[in-house]
Amino acid sequence: MIPVKAYAAQSPTSLLAPFHFDRRDLREYDVLVDILFSGICHSDLHQARDEWGGSLYPMVPGHEIVGKVIRTGEKVTKFKTGDTSGVGVMIDSCRVCNPCKSYMEQYCQEGMTGTYNGYERDKVTIAQGGYSTQIVCDERWVYQVSDKLNLAGVAPLLCAGITTYSPLKYANVATGDKVAVAGLGGLGHMAVKFAVAMGAEVTMLSTSPSKAKDARELGAHHFVLSTDEGAMEKMKSSFDVVLDAVSGNHDYEIYLKLLNVSGKLLVVGLPKDEPKVNPFELIKNRRSIIGSMIGGTVETQEMLDFCAEKNITADVEVIPMQYINEAYERMLKNDVKYRFVIDMASLK
Amino acid sequence: MIPVKAYAAQSPTSLLAPFHFDRRDLREYDVLVDILFSGICHSDLHQARDEWGGSLYPMVPGHEIVGKVIRTGEKVTKFKTGDTSGVGVMIDSCRVCNPCKSYMEQYCQEGMTGTYNGYERDKVTIAQGGYSTQIVCDERWVYQVSDKLNLAGVAPLLCAGITTYSPLKYANVATGDKVAVAGLGGLGHMAVKFAVAMGAEVTMLSTSPSKAKDARELGAHHFVLSTDEGAMEKMKSSFDVVLDAVSGNHDYEIYLKLLNVSGKLLVVGLPKDEPKVNPFELIKNRRSIIGSMIGGTVETQEMLDFCAEKNITADVEVIPMQYINEAYERMLKNDVKYRFVIDMASLK
């Protein structure tokens, strides 16, 4: 067994605190990754506090992981010791269903194995995430990361990055397309960067005037206050794609209206109350609402390669592990641009 | 001017009754069609009774029209006297916007000109529909109809037909796809016929056990009671496409759950209350909800040609014009298999 240091939640109401546990010994296809950086996703907080139900404790959150390979199982071919690598939201799946066979393991018919807060496929071992010094993972779910990139900024690509890259690719976003991004947080800021890199003309929509400057800095060509009814009215039927990364309650209608013929509303946010849909707005212009959940292993590697080519990383605030509980509180106030990333050196 | 006999509603509360009016003289691209059959669409009733607001009176409903060309404008090239032809839900559009230029005139940026209950593009003349002996229409919005088909059964193709054909094509339904159709009425019965003709394995979903036999007769391979929770649970994540032709209030979730990876919920029904969407069900399996409204002129002709090739027509009950008010009452009780069609000989 491989002893690791970590931070864990012991219950829905306890603060995250130091925790020691053992990773399994390497199986033949496993890779041991020494974790350099671990991003903090809003879903870490939801799950640590059991806000979605069914949380398992002790819980070591974290599914935006970047590190160095320090050991490989005997049949591993993708990696060698010293490689920079990443682990994302999943670490396994059934591997035999149609989605798995086509490398869309996130839609595994048996359910993918999450990086934490779930059982591994033995149905006994609780998977533990990236707020830890090392992780053991089958090489299929470990990705090659370019050393040219700022590694702290790479960590959030493994969740916030792929979550927005995948739907933009599914919608075939390309040069000249008009894309709007709603919600400027961890997901939204990546969506802006990707859409710009794909050649789209990008408009940032936000309820907060203070974000206009931020949006421009991220590369957005335009900024519109989504509370400005006149401005929203003017933009009716003018976008090919709207990416909705808003997690607060809202109906889909306000964004649907913005879509041109065959336009697509890409949904990656998860509001608590179920959004309503005006069916007249849906049939008008043959609009679509498309959900999307992270991305498969092949597409995640493609996204990381795209980022290396285009020099794309997340904008991050690097913190020590010991700051995690303050970071959660600040995240609740959206007081971060745009992702906290834990420097794991602080735990070693 | 060309005098015609018709039936019209004079107010939201009046019964439809005999009405005389004049059609315009033929412009150079116009065709004069002597109407043989006119289908009755549920939207005729909604509009005659002003249930969607903004109705214009007197109103001659009807947008499922089949007849014979009896005169042509001097520049008409598509038709000659004696041709069997059809007119559908629209009779004009701006012709210059991008959707119009790509023959998706139903999504015209200025708004298409409906066959009735709207103003023609002069913004003065009220367009009058197919419950009349003749109609004058620009040839772009007149379609070639094969004489091989039962013409009474062709009339509903111009609305119920294209409304279901277009989204099935947009979703690329093809041989071997698993398609479910929810709601067995005018739209649903056409959707079953088209999906079967496109090579799909078709399941009819209905709240009414009595429709099992009807569904099989239409060619559906399977029938499932949508109120049977166990049966619906078993079908989770198993369809490529669900076509939702239900106009009664419902949330999209019950059909969304049935969709496999990248599955598409095609929405053509218009429930009064806005359906809700569970965003977790949407992101699961990368599901889409896609609205669709009739079809453009090129696609409508393609659909009619497909029907001629596959010998597809609507199942209809042919009635005389004088029966219209009873037909409306029966339609409200879903007491028709599956479309009433007026034999216009009854008015001549």
Side-chain angles (χ1 to χ4, degrees):
Chain A
M1 303 293 273
I2 302 165
V4 298
K5 294 184 192 172
Y7 259 55
Q10 295 288 346
S11 79
T13 53
S14 60
L15 293 175
L16 269 73
F19 175 65
H20 289 77
F21 70 103
D22 290 328
R23 298 283 187 189
R24 69 168 179 260
D25 288 324
L26 268 61
R27 298 172 191 153
E28 50 190 7
Y29 289 104
D30 279 346
V31 169
L32 175 62
V33 176
D34 188 65
I35 301 177
L36 296 172
F37 295 102
S38 195
I40 302 179
C41 176
H42 209 106
S43 63
D44 295 350
L45 187 154
H46 284 302
Q47 293 178 86
R49 298 184 180 179
D50 198 20
E51 291 171 359
W52 291 343
S55 283
L56 302 174
Y57 300 92
M59 181 193 302
V60 178
H63 57 206
E64 298 182 337
I65 299 164
V66 171
K68 293 276 180 191
V69 172
I70 54 171
R71 202 181 314 159
T72 57
E74 57 196 32
K75 290 194 174 167
V76 167
T77 56
K78 268 172 72 179
F79 297 94
K80 58 180 195 312
T81 300
D83 283 355
T84 305
S85 60
V87 176
V89 177
M90 51 182 177
I91 52 165
D92 210 340
S93 69
C94 86
R95 310 181 186 202
V96 294
C97 69
N98 281 329
C100 283
K101 280 191 278 189
S102 50
Y103 300 99
M104 298 175 70
E105 303 91 342
Q106 76 273 38
Y107 304 123
C108 172
Q109 285 170 3
E110 288 190 5
M112 67 176 198
T113 302
T115 301
Y116 71 89
N117 192 27
Y119 291 102
E120 295 191 12
R121 300 207 84 78
D122 64 9
K123 298 178 183 172
V124 177
T125 313
I126 296 178
Q128 300 291 14
Y131 297 4
S132 59
T133 49
Q134 299 180 342
I135 190 167
V136 173
C137 184
D138 184 288
E139 64 173 338
R140 178 166 173 173
W141 285 269
V142 183
Y143 310 99
Q144 307 276 3
V145 170
S146 168
D147 280 314
K148 291 188 300 189
L149 294 170
N150 162 31
L151 295 186
V154 168
L157 299 178
L158 276 306
C159 172
I162 187 62
T163 297
T164 50
Y165 178 88
S166 183
L168 291 169
K169 291 296 281 186
Y170 187 50
N172 295 313
V173 169
T175 304
D177 283 354
K178 291 193 173 184
V179 173
V181 175
L184 182 47
L187 296 176
H189 98 287
M190 286 311 309
V192 169
K193 292 187 181 204
F194 284 133
V196 169
M198 290 170 187
E201 182 182 338
V202 178
T203 300
M204 182 76 225
L205 306 174
S206 174
T207 53
S208 157
S210 68
K211 295 197 172 168
K213 187 168 160 280
D214 300 331
R216 303 275 176 156
E217 283 171 3
L218 290 168
H221 306 95
H222 313 284
F223 176 86
V224 173
L225 263 183
S226 53
T227 49
D228 179 344
E229 286 181 22
M232 292 292 277
E233 181 70 20
K234 260 191 216 159
M235 295 194 301
K236 265 171 66 174
S237 299
S238 67
F239 289 95
D240 301 296
V241 165
V242 178
L243 188 141
D244 176 358
V246 177
S247 54
N249 289 329
H250 64 288
D251 288 332
Y252 289 138
E253 187 172 324
I254 57 164
Y255 303 127
L256 263 187
K257 284 181 174 174
L258 305 182
L259 293 169
N260 203 347
V261 176
S262 310
K264 293 168 178 67
L265 175 61
L266 308 177
V267 169
V268 295
L270 291 173
K272 206 168 175 190
D273 294 346
E274 298 190 357
K276 283 190 292 186
V277 178
N278 178 329
F280 283 91
E281 291 296 340
L282 194 60
I283 71 167
K284 182 174 173 160
N285 284 349
R286 191 166 72 175
R287 292 161 173 153
S288 301
I289 305 174
I290 303 176
S292 186
M293 191 173 80
I294 54 171
T297 53
V298 167
E299 194 173 44
T300 300
Q301 186 62 60
E302 174 193 305
M303 178 273 304
L304 287 166
D305 295 345
F306 181 81
C307 288
E309 182 198 330
K310 304 277 188 181
N311 195 29
I312 294 172
T313 54
D315 290 9
V316 300
E317 177 176 338
V318 178
I319 61 166
M321 186 71 253
Q322 296 74 13
Y323 187 72
I324 184 68
N325 294 300
E326 288 90 335
Y328 275 12
E329 291 311 311
R330 284 182 52 199
M331 194 161 58
L332 281 173
K333 298 179 218 152
N334 291 318
D335 177 21
V336 56
K337 285 178 184 174
Y338 291 92
R339 217 46 160 187
F340 288 113
V341 170
I342 305 159
D343 181 349
M344 276 304 154
S346 60
L347 198 59
K348 289 172 190 170
Chain B
M1 304 294 270
I2 301 165
V4 298
K5 294 183 192 173
Y7 260 54
Q10 294 289 344
S11 79
T13 53
S14 59
L15 293 175
L16 269 72
F19 176 65
H20 290 77
F21 71 103
D22 291 329
R23 297 284 187 189
R24 68 169 180 261
D25 288 325
L26 268 61
R27 299 170 189 154
E28 49 190 8
Y29 288 104
D30 278 347
V31 169
L32 176 61
V33 176
D34 188 65
I35 300 177
L36 297 173
F37 295 102
S38 194
I40 302 179
C41 176
H42 209 107
S43 63
D44 296 350
L45 186 154
H46 284 303
Q47 293 178 86
R49 299 184 179 180
D50 198 19
E51 290 172 357
W52 291 343
S55 283
L56 303 173
Y57 300 92
M59 181 195 301
V60 177
H63 58 206
E64 299 183 336
I65 298 164
V66 170
K68 292 277 180 191
V69 172
I70 55 172
R71 204 184 309 161
T72 57
E74 56 195 29
K75 291 195 175 167
V76 167
T77 56
K78 267 173 70 179
F79 296 95
K80 60 180 193 310
T81 299
D83 283 355
T84 305
S85 60
V87 176
V89 177
M90 51 181 176
I91 52 167
D92 210 339
S93 69
C94 86
R95 309 181 186 203
V96 295
C97 70
N98 281 330
C100 284
K101 280 193 277 189
S102 50
Y103 299 99
M104 297 176 71
E105 303 92 339
Q106 76 274 36
Y107 304 123
C108 172
Q109 285 171 2
E110 288 191 3
M112 66 175 197
T113 303
T115 302
Y116 71 91
N117 194 28
Y119 291 102
E120 296 191 11
R121 301 210 80 82
D122 64 9
K123 298 180 183 172
V124 176
T125 313
I126 296 179
Q128 300 290 14
Y131 298 2
S132 61
T133 49
Q134 298 181 344
I135 190 166
V136 173
C137 184
D138 185 288
E139 63 173 339
R140 177 166 173 173
W141 286 269
V142 184
Y143 310 99
Q144 307 277 3
V145 171
S146 167
D147 281 313
K148 291 188 299 187
L149 294 171
N150 161 33
L151 296 186
V154 168
L157 299 179
L158 277 306
C159 173
I162 187 63
T163 296
T164 49
Y165 178 88
S166 183
L168 290 170
K169 292 295 282 187
Y170 187 49
N172 295 314
V173 170
T175 304
D177 283 355
K178 291 195 173 184
V179 173
V181 175
L184 181 47
L187 296 175
H189 98 289
M190 288 309 310
V192 169
K193 291 186 182 204
F194 284 134
V196 169
M198 290 170 185
E201 182 182 338
V202 179
T203 301
M204 182 77 223
L205 306 173
S206 174
T207 53
S208 158
S210 68
K211 294 196 172 169
K213 187 166 159 281
D214 300 333
R216 303 273 176 155
E217 283 170 6
L218 290 167
H221 306 93
H222 313 283
F223 176 86
V224 173
L225 264 183
S226 53
T227 49
D228 179 343
E229 285 180 22
M232 292 292 278
E233 181 71 20
K234 260 190 217 163
M235 295 192 302
K236 268 171 64 176
S237 299
S238 67
F239 289 96
D240 301 297
V241 166
V242 178
L243 188 140
D244 176 358
V246 176
S247 53
N249 289 330
H250 64 287
D251 289 332
Y252 289 139
E253 186 172 325
I254 56 164
Y255 303 127
L256 263 186
K257 284 182 175 173
L258 303 183
L259 292 170
N260 202 346
V261 176
S262 308
K264 294 170 177 65
L265 175 62
L266 307 176
V267 169
V268 296
L270 291 172
K272 207 169 174 188
D273 293 348
E274 298 190 357
K276 284 190 291 186
V277 178
N278 178 329
F280 283 91
E281 291 296 339
L282 194 60
I283 71 168
K284 180 174 176 164
N285 284 350
R286 191 165 74 175
R287 292 160 174 153
S288 301
I289 305 174
I290 304 177
S292 185
M293 190 173 78
I294 53 171
T297 54
V298 167
E299 194 173 46
T300 301
Q301 188 61 60
E302 174 193 304
M303 177 273 304
L304 288 166
D305 295 345
F306 180 80
C307 289
E309 182 198 329
K310 303 277 187 180
N311 196 30
I312 294 172
T313 54
D315 290 8
V316 299
E317 176 176 339
V318 178
I319 61 166
M321 186 72 252
Q322 297 74 15
Y323 187 73
I324 184 68
N325 294 300
E326 287 90 336
Y328 275 14
E329 291 310 311
R330 283 183 51 199
M331 194 160 59
L332 282 173
K333 296 177 219 155
N334 291 317
D335 176 21
V336 55
K337 284 179 183 172
Y338 290 93
R339 220 44 162 186
F340 287 113
V341 170
I342 306 159
D343 180 350
M344 276 302 155
S346 60
L347 198 61
K348 289 174 188 168

